Amino acid sequence: MPPAPTRRAVVSPIASASDIDAACTLFREYAATLPFDLAYQSFEAELAGLPAKYVPPMGGIWLARVAPGNLAPTPALPPRAAPAVADLQACLGSHGDIVGCVALRPLSSTTAELKRLFVRPAARASGAGSGLLDAALTFARAAGYERVVLDTLKDMHRAAALYRSRGFAEIAQYYDTPEVERTVFMGLELVQTA
């Protein structure tokens, strides 16, 4: 599948051991932003086994890359964005231009779960989040899934707005979590019934 362009980010599936390392790093960065520990999801085992749950043909992990030349503030970005651009250039480090990730795994033959959508804070104006979500949804449709589900936190308003912009709506809880009071469950029907 060719990379999916966004405004300034390019999204592509993981393709190497270094991509898996980058995904692991980003998964850890994502987990560090949460107000609770992901141990109840066997998070460390998930990281140790990457890409295990997320392998094609029914799953995947995608990375968003931003070319360093695309990090300079543009007329579309306000001048106050310059520090964020500098922070992003500093955080690229050993994984070059990789700024975000998303994963998709099967829950059943008809339902996939979207996991670990994360974009480094300094790259959140790059279009990477939209590109990552769109790549995962395109894959889910091509894989024949009828539905995609996810969970997010009630205070992650920008994430929820992005999901809603693609047609996701709140659904009933679909797994047990000790963080149910903080969690919003969402789903998207990929197959429209007549």
Side-chain angles (χ1 to χ4, degrees):
M1 189 177 296
T6 64
R7 287 180 298 179
R8 294 180 324 201
V10 175
V11 174
S12 58
I14 59 170
S16 67
S18 67
D19 283 354
I20 293 170
D21 289 344
C24 186
T25 297
L26 289 163
F27 282 21
R28 284 191 189 283
E29 288 180 29
Y30 161 77
T33 68
L34 300 175
F36 51 85
D37 191 316
L38 289 176
Y40 75 94
Q41 292 184 2
S42 302
F43 185 65
E44 289 301 322
E46 177 182 330
L47 295 178
L50 282 178
K53 299 176 183 180
Y54 306 110
V55 295
M58 299 305 288
I61 300 173
W62 294 265
L63 299 174
R65 292 173 166 85
V66 177
N70 287 338
L71 297 179
T74 65
L77 294 175
R80 67 181 181 278
V85 170
D87 289 347
L88 177 58
Q89 289 169 329
C91 83
L92 293 177
S94 65
H95 295 297
D97 58 354
I98 298 171
V99 298
C101 63
V102 70
L104 189 81
R105 67 180 183 183
L107 285 185
S108 72
S109 62
T110 60
T111 302
E113 183 179 32
L114 189 79
K115 298 292 288 182
R116 317 283 183 235
L117 177 58
F118 175 73
V119 176
R120 289 176 165 155
R124 292 188 179 156
S126 69
S130 295
L132 287 161
L133 180 56
D134 292 343
L137 293 177
T138 297
F139 178 90
R141 286 182 178 95
Y145 286 114
E146 296 174 9
R147 182 178 192 209
V148 175
V149 296
L150 61 87
D151 66 81
T152 189
L153 297 181
K154 290 179 179 177
D155 63 351
M156 291 186 172
H157 305 291
R158 290 178 66 190
L162 175 61
Y163 299 137
R164 284 187 184 93
S165 76
R166 298 310 191 268
F168 282 86
E170 287 190 34
I171 59 171
Q173 179 180 347
Y174 64 89
Y175 75 92
D176 290 330
T177 174
E179 300 299 331
V180 70
E181 294 303 317
R182 300 180 192 199
T183 305
V184 175
F185 298 91
M186 301 181 84
L188 173 65
E189 298 297 324
L190 301 176
V191 177
Q192 302 300 319
T193 57

